Amino acid sequence: MLAVVAWHVVWQRIAHPDHAFALALWRTVYISVAAQLIGVCLGLITALMRMSRLRVLRLVSGAYVLVFRGTPVIVQIFFVYFGANLLFGFTLIPNTVNFGLFALNGAVFAGIVALGINEGAYMREIYRAGIDAIDKGQMEAAKSLGMTYGLAMRRIILPQAARVIIPPLGNEFNNMLKTSSLVFFIGVTELFGDAEIRNSTAFQPVEYFTAVAFWYLVLTTIWSVIQAQIERALAREERGDQISFRERVFQAWAPVAAWRTGGSR
Amino acid sequence: MLLATEVQKHFGRLHVLKGVSLELSRGEVVCLIGPSGSGKTTFLRCVNHLEAIDGGRIEVDGELIGYRERRGRLVEDSERAIARKRSRIGMVFQRFNLFPHKTALENVIEAPLRVLGLPKQRCVTEGEQLLERVGLEDKRDVYPGKLSGGQQQRVAIARALAMKPALMLFDEPTSALDPEMIGEVLAVMSELAHEMTMLVVTHEMGFAREAANRVAMMDDGQIVEEAPPAELFGAPAEERTRRFLSKIL
């Protein structure tokens, strides 16, 4: 079975990436990062809206989650890219979107926007859980010191909620790296698109998709290492001990060192 | 300093405060005692508007708390105005409520720095003095998680004092503490009682007897009796006070 696979093709895709591939890889990375950033901001805004005294804002926030968690991302991507044009007769997303410093392909921009809005709905729930996890006494203590709601949120509640939010945020980004492959369907040649386009001429699906799976694995693995570092840093801060990286490595080796001195005795 | 008149408070259908009136002049220390559920803590929380009141009025230092008067009616204040008035009232909570992501000193200087906008160097100097005053100068860089309950509560007192409040509220400050730590917190409070205006909800009758100018007994949402401690503990006028004291003394 495995012998049928042309392993040299897989190896070729992994060991000798060409320029088009590098570009596709880079697209996947920046689409994911940009969409996640939008999601992080939108999630925070809508999480705060949910706690607002104004009913309208609470309703908007609720409807947002209902719609964007309740419909497929691919539909949302199509809607942002084609939808406005079909429904209202104008093109929401031009072919090239100019940001002054740089320009983006319209499809890439639509993909980032759609993924970001979708992500915001999930992030809102993560913020909500994080903020709810903070003891009510914290807000009361802050208020009793004369802080306004906004200041207390910024200085007291959110920094504490961050510790609850960061681990699931990491998982969300891991997901985003993979979900971003959907923008291929509006014509963006990212990592998955690159594989599919080559496959359509070579017709070696197993080889090309095995290689692309490997590259996704590389991305998510790199991210999980970064995520673990961030979480460890947060946990260390929480414990309140301030030991350096060198000390930590040294401590990890201490049992081994003890065993060795024990042996020489 | 504090003037509460006929304060009413409901939680849903539960009538918690049924017309509470209390007056504290400058420098006076009043202890609120009474059975649990009598409304002591609720009343205290109304004083800095952590709870809105349904009737009556509360003034601190001549300022109406939580509301402003418009054509003879009381309208709820803006958030900013409420916050400004609260900054003049210190509060110490039963469960300390220190900010766990900040060191002892950072806890103390947070509000002067961010609310009053005072220069950092000045905040730090004053913060260190306050920590020294509660006997914790060596803990300035320690996080609350590494402090004992008694130490945390002393930091919380220092944190409230950092705003130079006109009035200090204590909500059962020793109830969440292990017995051996109650003394250190009460010692700090007794020291403070010489110079501050304080309203203290407490079950520590020894503290009330020694540090308070007056003791007010609350029951069922009302102040049933109010007298200097010697009088109230020695010869309570009300039957309900007698019954309560006989259970706890």
Side-chain angles (χ1 to χ4, degrees):
Chain A
M1 175 69 189
L2 285 177
V4 187
V5 179
W7 286 107
H8 66 279
V9 177
V10 178
W11 180 247
Q12 165 77 22
R13 303 294 306 139
I14 291 171
H16 306 287
D18 56 22
H19 181 71
F21 168 84
L23 196 65
L25 180 71
W26 166 236
R27 272 198 199 111
T28 287
V29 171
Y30 78 66
I31 289 174
S32 304
V33 170
Q36 190 66 46
L37 285 177
I38 293 176
V40 164
C41 297
L42 263 181
L44 178 59
I45 293 167
T46 49
L48 293 174
M49 278 166 69
R50 176 187 158 267
M51 295 181 292
S52 166
R53 268 192 286 184
L54 296 176
R55 208 173 119 84
V56 185
L57 295 184
R58 292 202 304 272
L59 283 177
V60 169
S61 176
Y64 170 64
V65 168
L66 185 76
V67 170
F68 286 92
R69 280 208 319 178
T71 57
V73 199
I74 186 73
V75 174
Q76 293 163 24
I77 292 171
F78 274 32
F79 196 89
V80 171
Y81 189 53
F82 304 113
N85 191 18
L86 291 181
L87 285 179
F88 310 115
F90 64 86
T91 311
L92 187 67
I93 313 284
N95 283 334
T96 308
V97 186
N98 211 321
F99 284 98
L101 285 176
F102 61 97
L104 265 187
N105 171 288
V108 171
F109 179 71
I112 289 174
V113 168
L115 287 171
I117 294 175
N118 177 266
E119 180 58 24
Y122 288 89
M123 283 306 299
R124 188 201 88 145
E125 294 302 281
I126 290 170
Y127 279 110
R128 184 177 72 90
I131 292 169
D132 284 355
I134 306 305
D135 186 68
K136 300 242 180 315
Q138 292 290 309
M139 180 54 94
E140 291 190 346
K143 282 185 169 174
S144 79
L145 289 166
M147 292 195 192
T148 54
Y149 179 83
L151 185 63
M153 254 309 163
R154 221 173 55 235
R155 298 285 310 172
I156 307 302
I157 307 297
L158 287 177
Q160 292 183 59
R163 292 189 184 149
V164 189
I165 291 166
I166 297 245
L169 168 64
N171 294 340
E172 284 298 304
F173 185 63
N174 175 300
N175 244 326
M176 180 63 83
L177 283 168
K178 296 168 294 176
T179 312
S180 64
S181 58
L182 289 175
V183 300
F184 169 62
F185 294 101
I186 53 172
V188 179
T189 314
E190 40 63 74
L191 207 44
F192 174 74
D194 181 66
E196 169 56 22
I197 285 168
R198 283 157 201 272
N199 172 52
S200 64
T201 49
F203 204 68
Q204 289 179 305
V206 174
E207 287 77 4
Y208 281 102
F209 290 124
T210 302
V212 85
F214 168 83
W215 282 109
Y216 276 111
L217 205 54
V218 168
L219 286 182
T220 51
T221 305
I222 291 173
W223 171 246
S224 67
V225 170
I226 296 173
Q227 187 186 349
Q229 287 297 326
I230 296 172
E231 280 173 31
R232 208 169 303 158
L234 278 175
R236 193 169 64 243
E237 204 180 308
E238 194 156 20
R239 286 200 309 275
D241 39 271
Q242 293 146 335
I243 61 169
S244 68
F245 179 74
R246 253 179 65 195
E247 286 171 308
R248 210 146 18 91
V249 172
F250 183 76
Q251 278 182 10
W253 279 93
V256 181
W259 173 74
R260 285 186 52 172
T261 44
S264 67
R265 183 155 46 89
Chain B
M1 181 57 57
L2 169 67
L3 180 62
T5 33
E6 286 298 311
V7 174
Q8 301 276 345
K9 175 72 190 174
H10 299 255
F11 285 128
R13 286 170 58 188
L14 197 66
H15 199 174
V16 199
L17 298 179
K18 303 171 179 170
V20 178
S21 299
L22 187 68
E23 195 178 343
L24 265 75
S25 34
R26 191 177 298 274
E28 215 175 8
V29 175
V30 171
C31 283
L32 267 181
I33 63 167
S36 46
S38 59
K40 312 179 295 284
T41 291
T42 304
F43 176 68
L44 201 74
R45 292 165 58 83
C46 287
V47 172
N48 68 355
H49 202 64
L50 283 179
E51 302 284 354
I53 60 176
D54 305 329
R57 57 192 290 152
I58 297 174
E59 283 174 30
V60 172
D61 220 0
E63 275 194 309
L64 196 56
I65 296 299
Y67 302 87
R68 73 203 125 88
E69 250 165 337
R70 190 188 282 162
R71 289 192 218 98
R73 296 186 53 187
L74 295 187
V75 196
E76 185 148 33
D77 246 340
S78 71
E79 196 204 350
R80 226 155 252 293
I82 293 173
R84 185 183 55 78
K85 288 172 185 174
R86 272 194 194 122
S87 70
R88 305 272 298 131
I89 306 170
M91 184 152 185
V92 175
F93 298 85
Q94 185 179 352
R95 305 204 49 88
F96 331 133
N97 295 347
L98 286 182
F99 307 135
H101 59 306
K102 297 187 179 295
T103 63
L105 183 69
E106 286 167 352
N107 263 277
V108 175
I109 67 174
E110 178 69 15
L113 203 59
R114 304 285 161 182
V115 177
L116 302 179
L118 298 177
K120 173 116 190 226
Q121 197 43 55
R122 182 174 154 198
C123 293
V124 170
T125 313
E126 290 183 359
E128 284 169 342
Q129 284 166 359
L130 282 168
L131 284 178
E132 198 179 329
R133 194 163 157 194
V134 297
L136 291 172
E137 61 274 26
D138 54 329
K139 302 287 184 193
R140 58 165 272 171
D141 297 322
V142 178
Y143 286 88
K146 295 250 161 140
L147 294 173
S148 73
Q151 291 170 333
Q152 287 190 53
Q153 194 61 300
R154 280 145 67 196
V155 174
I157 293 173
R159 178 177 71 175
L161 289 175
M163 293 297 281
K164 301 195 171 65
L167 169 70
M168 282 283 281
L169 306 173
F170 292 83
D171 181 15
E172 301 194 23
T174 56
S175 298
L177 293 176
D178 290 338
E180 72 267 26
M181 293 169 186
I182 292 175
E184 64 188 60
V185 172
L186 290 181
V188 169
M189 288 171 62
S190 302
E191 195 62 40
L192 213 54
H194 296 304
E195 52 194 281
M196 285 291 298
T197 314
M198 292 168 36
L199 180 57
V200 186
V201 171
T202 186
H203 293 295
E204 293 295 325
M205 297 305 152
F207 172 79
R209 207 190 292 266
E210 274 159 39
N213 301 102
R214 267 181 302 139
V215 178
M217 161 79 193
M218 263 188 99
D219 190 23
D220 194 25
Q222 286 170 318
I223 291 181
V224 293
E225 186 173 357
E226 201 186 324
E231 207 172 297
L232 191 126
F233 291 121
E238 292 288 326
E239 169 60 26
R240 275 193 285 185
T241 314
R242 260 197 297 275
R243 236 183 309 141
F244 174 69
L245 291 176
S246 73
K247 273 184 212 150
I248 58 160
L249 289 180

